[in-house]
Amino acid sequence: MMRQPTLFLTVGLPCTGKTTAARRIEIEQNALRLTKDEWVKALYGHENPPSAGDVIEGRLIQIGLRALELGNNVVIDYGLWSRDERSALRQAAADLGAMVELHYFELTPAEQRRRRDRRQVEAPHTTWPISDEELAEWAATVEIPTRGELDGSEPIDDPPAGFATWDDWRGYRWPPSVS
């Protein structure tokens, strides 16, 4: 009998502990860890092109969904700031018979900046410069998960207007190639 796999989603702004937690989940839950920043760094070095980031996220999602289909746990390690992104992934996991655990990470802006500064000094090869203005701008755009999203009790939303399914929306949000 095959065990039911779990999709672990890390949600939060940069420098809040998502990757540290994803590494822990990877080991404790025997999960495939898919960390976008590692892939962008490997492919683009010092560059961080936004259009490529969306494509890489989409490719990692495809790999993750295939791993779930094969019965493996998966941890998606990037912000997932919008409820639609989380709903699309929750639905994809449900379609595959997988469970979902959503982990939200939040810190004070001061602690976030302190971690950013420390990472920039100790491991600059793992990150890109992030300004205080960017952190503030991003904080204003995050849709904080609800209690029901976090504990799995809240039904998954319908796809946004103009999309018949969450699969259709995923293809739009995470394009298959760089345009």
Side-chain angles (χ1 to χ4, degrees), residues 8-130:
F8 299 90
L9 302 176
T10 62
V11 179
L13 290 165
C15 308
T16 57
K18 294 182 308 298
T19 299
T20 299
R23 287 181 177 133
R24 188 188 78 257
I25 292 167
E26 172 185 32
I27 292 166
E28 292 174 358
Q29 301 297 326
N30 196 29
L32 173 64
R33 179 176 55 88
L34 301 170
T35 299
K36 178 181 105 174
D37 287 354
E38 291 174 358
W39 285 78
V40 174
K41 276 290 188 183
L43 294 169
Y44 293 96
H46 297 298
E47 301 296 317
N48 188 9
S51 62
D54 290 345
V55 172
I56 290 169
E57 285 180 11
R59 291 296 178 201
L60 293 177
I61 288 166
Q62 287 180 331
I63 292 166
L65 294 178
R66 179 62 179 138
L68 286 173
E69 190 174 39
L70 295 171
N72 298 294
N73 293 331
V74 174
V75 57
I76 300 286
D77 174 26
Y78 39 91
L80 300 171
W81 297 347
S82 83
R83 183 179 172 100
D84 284 346
E85 290 171 330
R86 299 185 302 268
S87 293
L89 295 176
R90 289 174 62 208
Q91 184 63 60
D95 291 346
L96 296 171
M99 298 184 308
V100 174
E101 281 189 26
L102 200 140
H103 297 263
Y104 176 60
F105 301 88
E106 182 177 36
L107 293 173
T108 66
E111 177 63 15
Q112 193 181 4
R113 287 190 304 274
R114 189 187 69 72
R115 287 179 177 209
R116 174 207 56 198
D117 295 346
R118 187 179 69 216
R119 182 168 48 178
Q120 203 53 50
V121 169
E122 295 174 1
H125 61 284
T126 67
T127 191
W128 296 270
I130 301 171

